[in-house]
Every structure is written in structure tokens, then in C-alpha cells.
Amino acid sequence: MLLAEVVRTSESVAATRSRTRKTALLAELIARLAPDEVVAVIGMLVAAPRQGRLGVGWSTLRRIDAGPAETATLTVSDVDDLFSALAVTVGAGSAASREAQLTRVFARATAAERPFLMGVLMGEVRQGALESLLGDAIAAATNSPVELVRRAWMLTGSLTETARLATTGGAPELSAVGLQVMRPVKPMLAATATSVEAALGNTGEAVIDYKLDGARIQVHRDGDAIAVFTRSLKDATARLPEVVDIVRRLPAQRLILDGESLVLDDTSSRPRSFADTQSRFGAQAGREELLRPYFFDLLHVDGSDLIDEPLSVRLAELERVAGPWRVPSQRADDSQAAEQILADSLAAGHEGVVVKSLTSSYAAGRRGSGWQKVKPVRTLDLVVLAAEWGHGRRSGWLSNLHLGARDPDGTYGESNAFVMVGKTFKGMTDVMLSWQTEALQQIEVRRTPGTVWVRPELVVEIAFDAAQVSSRYPGGAALRFARVLRYREDKNPAESDTIMAVREALPGSVGR
């Protein structure tokens, strides 16, 4: 198949809002692929080539001076061969060799194919096609039951491998996939509930876990072999020796544990900031800070698969095997008790709670109401400093907002200026996008490639989950998971929130 056909489908998917239509477009594409093309194309569509790391960054891509070609001649196999060659190009002279290989292929790429290729290489294909949607498309294209595809995807941890199985063997091959110790499992996630009362209304008797603001871990043990995987299923074993040591002492030889890891304060034993945990989690060498594991689920123990067992059974085994290392957790069947658990979690420095049905099995992604997270919503009124032009379906609209907090004392710059505290493109309706595109251009002061800078006149109400220490912004703080609620036409910039209000949302409220 020509790469141009994949690009056209990607562009069509980006141009529609309908999930059903997106799925149909992708299914039509997958159905036309040769068996040996399926894995390569799925990898391209999710910007995760089957070959893994290719050693190509923006510094290399920006030097490519070739094309574009007028006629589409590149095939899927041509691109897949390029990725295979890049993956094994290492050692002295590898940078020049990669650049030469890329130049040869980009010289054959059309103007439409070039940005798609760059997106794949940079890990970001902007088409509005989530992996879950591709999973449904694989099922439709191969006439396989959706639930079988989802289960195989969860157990293999690989959408490309699932696509290969569905294409070559259909339902029998998918059904044959089982849980394997030392092969990471796609994790179960929690949906969002507005309150513990609402969450309990969907679950009945439940167990309520503290929601920790840490790094997700999945730990496998097979005798003396122990592996720790991240939420994205990457191997992080070498970076977490303290977790390996703890699991090695547990009374079981074969395990799959699901949990969270945190850096704790040495004196108070309260959780440190998410940034501290991330820094420690990402360290390649030993660090002073220790990551403390908190386990909240057990998927396998000594030959017994537990993923299809109700949570009550899994927790009983978890308590037996790893009781001292369990996340703080209590059972509750009424909202008053649940509210107290939420208050206790917040008082201990955590994010909130996760309400879990005791009858729920383990299923990848956010499926139904088995797990529901409840976190207090924080809001700030901030000023728009700039906006970036959107991509894909948002092309032609100013989308990604640069957010500023007021600095009345000039602590971080000029007095009464605004300090940037983050960006967001989330929470905006089409009506809002259209309005703000026109409104921001009316107060434009300058442009840089892709960005319109504006006078700080518009106030926007932003919801966010937490703040974190940041060296990227002058105020030393950045918002996490920021999303737009509304524009505050009733407020002027002098009434917006200050940088101190942002800093007070930092873990431990360190303030100035």
C-alpha cells in the first residue's frame, strides 16, 4: 500500500468529530492492508513504530533538506524498512548515517506525507485517533468480537501485536492469549466521579483507596527474576532497586502486582511533590530519595490468574501476600463514611480517593464504573498571554492557551506583570474556539511561528488538579491537567489570581 493512502485516512479521521465515522475510516484502511503491513501501519498511526526507539530527534529532522516530491511513490514497506534501518544504526557516524537515510526517503515524500512522517518520528500524529478507537477499528476490520480484541490487547500490552493476531488468526488466536508473568499488562484506569456519594451510587458496597499522586508501577516476579514496568509498560527495573528488594521479600514466587510509587518526606512521612517522584522515578543512577511502593491490586499469584476474579478476592490475596505495602484503604457502603475517608486522604497530603466496586474484575482502560476517582476541583482566574494555532480538526482556530498569573509585587519580574504558569487546549467547545480565535486576534501584539501573542486583557477560569514545582516558568510553579471552564467577562485582569495563589497550591503550600 502507498503511504499516501494511510495519510489520507489520517487526515480524514482528523477532520471528523464522529467516533463512529473515525472507526469506520480506520477499519476500511486496515481491511485493505496486506497481512505484513498491518503491524507497521498500526505503529505509524499511534506514532509508536514497531521497531521501538529510532534515535531520531527534532535536531536531526530540522536538517533534512529534500523534497517534497510531486508524485506519491512511497509505500508502507519503504517507510517500515527505513525505521528498521534507523533502529540498528548506532555507534560512530550514526548521526550522519541516520540523516542520510532520512534524506533519501523524505526526498520521495509529498507535501502531505512529510508532516505525517515527522509526526510518527516525533511520537505525535495529530489525527484524533486514540488507541482505544484503533482497537475497535481492528475488531471491525477483522470481524473479531470487540471484547476479544480488548482482552488480547490488555494481556499482550501491545496494540500492534493484537492487530497481528486478529489479522492472521482472528477470534481463535485472540482467545488463546493468556496472562503471562513478566509480560506487562495494560492497566485498569479509574473513571471520574463528581463526589463519593455519586461514586457509591454506581458501585454499592465498595472499597475506598487513597488516591496517591505518584508514578504507576506494575511489578512482576518469577522466582528470582523481578521486573518493574511503568504505566506505559516500559521497563523501569534498573531505576527502582528499592521496589525490587521489597518484592523479593514477599511470600510468593510468582506475582503480578499493580500499584503506585511515591517519594516521602524524610521527617513527616508525607508525600513529596509529584515532580520529586517523577525526578526520582526517572533517575538512571541511584538517588538519595527512596520510592515507597503502595500496592492496590494483585493479578496473579503462584500459578493462579486473578484478573477475572472479583476485587474482593484479589484484595484478600493482596493482603495475604503484601499487606504491609498496601495503599491505605477502607470498606464503606454509605456516603458519610466515604466522605471521612476522602477527608483523611486529603489531610494526609494525597489527591483524593478511588471508589472501587468489590465485585469488579480487572479490565484495561476506563470500563464502566468499577473504579471511580474523586478529587476536589480547584479553579483559578488567569489571564491569556498567547495562543497557538490548532492542528487537525482544530486547524484555523487558536487553541492552546498560554496562561498567566498576576505578579502584583514584581517578585518574579515587573510589578503588576503576569507570570506564565502553563498551557492548555482542554475543555473548549467549538463555539468557544471560534469566539476566542476572533477575540484574541483583536488584541494581538505580535506573532511568532504558530503563536499569536496578545495584550493581557482576557480572564479565563481554569480548573486544575494540582500545581507542581517548575524550573521552566519564572514563578517556579506550573499547573497540572489545566482545563478551561469559561471566560470571565465579569472580571478584568487586575482581579485575576496571583502567582502566590498558584504557589499556594504546591504540595505543602510552600508559598513564596
Side-chain angles (χ1 to χ4, degrees):
M1 176 180 284
L2 287 174
L3 178 66
E5 296 180 64
V6 179
V7 174
R8 278 195 293 271
T9 298
S10 179
E11 291 173 342
S12 297
V13 169
T16 180
R17 296 183 61 188
S18 167
R19 181 182 177 91
T20 301
R21 181 58 180 154
K22 287 177 186 285
T23 303
L25 288 166
L26 291 166
E28 290 166 9
L29 174 69
I30 294 167
R32 289 188 283 115
L33 293 170
D36 60 347
E37 295 175 325
V38 171
V39 172
V41 170
I42 295 297
M44 292 177 201
L45 290 172
V46 296
R50 66 176 182 84
Q51 294 85 352
R53 293 179 62 86
L54 304 180
V56 176
W58 175 242
S59 60
T60 300
L61 290 174
R62 67 187 300 183
R63 292 195 299 269
I64 303 300
D65 183 20
E70 293 186 5
T71 305
T73 61
L74 273 179
T75 66
V76 166
S77 295
D78 291 334
V79 177
D80 191 51
D81 289 344
L82 167 68
F83 293 166
S84 295
L86 292 172
V88 297
T89 302
V90 295
S94 59
S97 178
R98 287 194 197 96
E99 187 173 334
Q101 294 171 59
L102 287 163
T103 298
R104 285 193 293 273
V105 170
F106 270 75
R108 296 176 56 197
T110 64
E113 293 166 342
R114 287 169 66 89
F116 179 82
L117 281 172
M118 285 194 172
V120 175
L121 289 162
M122 293 300 295
E124 185 179 12
V125 175
R126 295 175 181 266
Q127 63 194 0
L130 302 175
E131 283 191 332
S132 60
L133 192 149
L134 269 167
D136 292 350
I138 290 166
T142 60
N143 295 314
S144 302
V146 172
E147 291 305 319
L148 269 185
V149 171
R150 290 174 179 170
R151 184 176 176 84
W153 182 15
M154 175 179 76
L155 295 175
T156 62
S158 168
L159 186 60
T160 52
E161 173 63 10
T162 302
R164 186 190 68 79
L165 293 170
T167 302
T168 58
E173 286 284 345
L174 295 169
S175 300
V177 178
L179 187 67
Q180 289 184 18
V181 178
M182 305 304 284
R183 182 174 69 184
V185 177
K186 198 171 185 300
M188 185 168 179
L189 305 174
T192 299
T194 55
S195 66
V196 287
E197 184 176 10
L200 284 173
N202 293 324
T203 60
E205 186 180 8
V207 63
I208 302 181
D209 291 350
Y210 283 15
K211 187 179 187 314
L212 312 184
D213 190 18
R216 187 81 174 259
I217 55 172
Q218 187 181 118
V219 187
H220 291 234
R221 178 179 182 180
D222 185 5
D224 292 333
I226 295 173
V228 185
F229 299 99
T230 66
R231 174 175 169 147
S232 58
L233 310 187
K234 291 183 170 58
D235 192 330
T237 311
R239 287 176 272 161
L240 303 174
E242 59 269 64
V243 175
V244 171
D245 289 343
I246 287 167
V247 172
R248 182 166 283 120
R249 296 197 298 269
L250 297 181
Q253 289 299 301
R254 288 173 61 81
L255 289 169
I256 301 178
L257 292 153
D258 195 3
E260 201 89 3
S261 58
L262 282 178
V263 171
L264 301 179
D265 187 270
D266 293 338
T267 55
S268 66
S269 294
R270 290 173 63 85
R272 299 267 288 273
S273 73
F274 177 74
D276 287 338
T277 294
Q278 260 197 328
S279 175
R280 172 59 188 86
F281 197 87
Q284 296 293 337
R287 296 279 292 272
E288 272 187 38
E289 302 92 343
L290 295 181
L291 275 170
R292 201 266 198 207
Y294 290 88
F295 298 117
F296 49 71
D297 217 324
L298 179 62
L299 311 187
H300 178 96
V301 58
D302 287 336
S304 297
D305 292 342
L306 304 178
I307 56 172
D308 295 321
E309 297 290 343
L311 179 60
S312 56
V313 172
R314 303 201 306 273
L315 291 183
E317 283 295 276
L318 178 63
E319 180 64 31
R320 179 182 68 83
V321 173
W325 303 102
R326 277 192 63 183
V327 70
S329 178
Q330 298 180 49
R331 293 195 179 194
D333 56 7
D334 66 83
S335 58
Q336 186 175 357
E339 289 286 0
Q340 185 58 56
I341 298 169
L342 172 60
D344 292 343
S345 174
L346 295 173
H350 301 297
E351 279 193 314
V353 294
V354 183
V355 180
K356 299 180 178 179
S357 168
L358 286 167
T359 62
S360 61
S361 58
Y362 195 93
R366 295 179 175 89
R367 300 287 175 199
S369 57
W371 293 7
Q372 297 175 81
K373 59 186 176 184
V374 181
K375 298 190 293 184
V377 176
R378 306 181 186 188
T379 65
L380 288 170
D381 292 328
L382 301 172
V383 172
V384 179
L385 304 178
E388 299 170 14
W389 292 103
H391 299 268
R393 197 183 66 79
R394 290 192 177 189
S395 292
W397 281 333
L398 286 171
S399 174
N400 198 16
L401 300 181
H402 295 204
L403 305 170
R406 190 162 47 89
D407 185 8
D409 302 326
T411 305
Y412 302 100
E414 297 180 13
S415 179
N416 285 316
F418 294 90
V419 180
M420 190 169 172
V421 293
K423 301 180 184 181
T424 186
F425 57 85
K426 297 180 179 177
M428 303 175 198
T429 64
D430 287 358
V431 172
M432 182 182 290
L433 285 163
S434 179
W435 176 85
Q436 78 181 17
T437 299
E438 182 176 348
L440 292 172
Q441 290 184 91
Q442 290 176 1
I443 57 174
E444 176 183 346
V445 294
R446 64 187 175 95
R447 293 195 181 201
T448 54
T451 304
V452 173
W453 297 84
V454 301
R455 295 192 301 272
E457 296 180 2
L458 294 180
V459 178
V460 63
E461 185 177 4
I462 298 294
F464 65 103
D465 288 1
Q468 66 183 31
V469 175
S470 171
S471 59
R472 182 177 182 181
Y473 300 125
L479 302 182
R480 291 186 61 214
F481 304 115
R483 53 216 180 266
V484 175
L485 295 180
R486 56 175 174 154
Y487 275 88
R488 295 297 305 266
E489 296 181 35
D490 58 324
K491 281 195 170 186
N492 63 57
E495 299 174 290
S496 62
D497 283 305
T498 67
I499 183 62
M500 290 309 300
V502 177
R503 291 186 61 81
E504 284 167 5
L506 291 169
S509 299
V510 297
R512 187 174 305 221

